[in-house]
Amino acid sequence: TQLLEQSPQFLSIQEGENLTVYCNSSSVFSSLQWYRQEPGEGPVLLVTVVTGGEVKKLKRLTFQFGDARKDSSLHITAAQPGDTGLYLCAARKSNTGKLIFGQGTTLQVKP
Amino acid sequence: GAGVSQSPSNKVTEKGKDVELRCDPISGHTALYWYRQSLGQGLEFLIYFQGNSAPDKSGLPSDRFSAERTGGSVSTLTIQRTQQEDSAVYLCASSSGTSGTDTQYFGPGTRLTVL
């Protein structure tokens, strides 16, 4: 059973389109993180959300943490080819810092 | 460089052989993590170190997998009698702390292929 369910698993869109990626769970988390990973590299942290209902913006990316701290979304406005990559949500289940990852969303933005 | 480094970047081995994967964390980071990633998938936690001790080994798939960390720095992940299902990218990360907002910095990974 996947603790964090991401959807969609694969997304191919044209440059300029908007998109939303979802990360859902039945568990409550104290914090949730979003990472972006490019081929041949490790994941890079984009954002950490900790408060229910919290919204954070990073240029054209908007991250939201659900009110109940069980789910999160990543919205990209006017996607660009440089946004192409694997997007991963991750949450901590204990105080060890160990991260539980979703299965990832592969985004392809065509010029 | 100041980032996490891993070696080798690629490793091809035959089924049944032992392999060692190395991780050099960011200097001063006390926490070190090993994850495994199958093609195009999310990461699967293997083991976590705080200093030289491993409080959480719950993700190690079998007793063929072991890891150690010496001097609070370099870590080695050893896989004995490798199997084809061990083929994956093995990622290491380090962080200065273990709170919910601490950032884990990942290395580029070691791609292991077991023939």
Side-chain angles (χ1 to χ4, degrees), chain A residues 9 30-33 35 37 40-45 48 50 86 88 92 94-104 106, chain B residues 33 35 37 40-45 48 55-56 58-59 91 95 97-109 111:
Chain A
Q9 291 192 30
S30 58
S31 66
L32 190 141
Q33 298 181 320
Y35 289 80
Q37 184 179 21
E41 299 180 8
V44 176
L45 180 67
T48 301
V50 298
L86 178 66
L88 298 154
R92 281 191 171 84
S94 67
N95 291 328
T96 63
K98 150 187 163 183
L99 288 170
I100 307 296
F101 281 84
Q103 66 267 60
T106 299
Chain B
Y33 307 83
Y35 296 88
Q37 184 175 31
Q41 298 296 307
L43 281 67
E44 171 192 14
F45 169 80
Y48 149 70
D56 191 345
S58 62
L91 290 156
S95 65
T98 59
S99 77
T101 55
D102 278 311
T103 299
Q104 291 189 18
Y105 295 88
F106 284 83
R111 180 175 296 279

Side-chain angles (χ1 to χ4, degrees), chain A residues 33-72:
Chain A
Q33 298 181 320
W34 285 92
Y35 289 80
R36 178 165 169 258
Q37 184 179 21
E38 298 194 42
E41 299 180 8
V44 176
L45 180 67
L46 295 174
V47 76
T48 301
V49 286
V50 298
T51 306
E54 181 177 4
V55 177
K56 282 192 173 179
K57 293 192 174 184
L58 185 65
K59 296 183 180 179
R60 294 175 293 99
L61 277 61
T62 302
F63 305 86
Q64 185 163 10
F65 202 13
D67 291 341
R69 305 204 319 274
K70 292 183 178 181
D71 55 83
S72 181

Side-chain angles (χ1 to χ4, degrees), chain B residues 47-62:
Chain B
I47 187 170
Y48 149 70
F49 287 92
Q50 179 62 45
N52 291 336
S53 63
D56 191 345
K57 305 179 183 181
S58 62
L60 293 178
S62 74

